[in-house]
Amino acid sequence: VQLVESGGGLVQAGGSLRLSCVASGSTYQIKTIGWYRQAPGKQREFVATIASAGSTNYADSVKGRFTISRDNGKNTVHLQMNSLKPEDTAVYYCNALLQVSIEGTVEEWGQGTLVTVSS
């Protein structure tokens, strides 16, 4: 599975951005797909995921501001980010957990898209 992100950019605090991740290849293997982010000098952290059945999970820091959605027909996942804060500045990575065998899973990552929120 290959993951390609888009939608990053520069936005003022309080503004909105919508990230997209298009998956290609063996997309039937995808169990969950979502977003992580890595700010300068910090470790990569979980943002949000959505399962194949549609259940979602969010980091506390983004609950109520970010919404993850999935278009299975287009193999695309979106992250709608509202009320952005300077601390949301990071490279955002699309992540997919793949069921490659009965007991085996692997992770795939996209190349990342930069989100910069100015104060």
Side-chain angles (χ1 to χ4, degrees):
V1 171
Q2 295 77 45
L3 305 172
V4 179
E5 304 100 331
S6 62
L10 173 64
V11 64
Q12 287 188 333
S16 299
L17 279 176
R18 188 190 194 210
L19 304 184
S20 298
C21 173
V22 178
S24 61
S26 302
T27 57
Y28 63 89
Q29 295 179 322
I30 296 175
K31 287 187 61 177
T32 63
I33 188 167
W35 298 88
Y36 285 69
R37 66 186 182 186
Q38 187 166 17
K42 295 188 177 181
Q43 290 188 332
R44 193 172 296 188
E45 65 177 6
F46 166 76
V47 176
T49 56
I50 185 167
S52 55
S55 60
T56 58
N57 193 23
Y58 295 93
D60 288 342
S61 59
V62 306
K63 280 181 182 176
R65 299 188 299 123
F66 292 9
T67 302
I68 191 169
S69 61
R70 184 170 178 170
D71 183 339
N72 287 330
K74 296 182 178 180
N75 293 319
T76 301
V77 62
H78 302 288
L79 185 69
Q80 178 66 42
M81 305 186 294
N82 298 328
S83 302
L84 283 162
K85 304 175 182 179
E87 50 262 44
D88 294 317
T89 295
V91 177
Y92 283 70
Y93 296 91
C94 186
N95 168 273
L97 181 65
L98 311 178
Q99 189 77 51
V100 297
S101 65
I102 293 177
E103 296 181 353
T105 59
V106 298
E107 284 188 297
E108 291 289 349
W109 295 89
Q111 81 286 353
T113 186
L114 177 63
V115 172
T116 304
V117 184
S118 63
S119 57

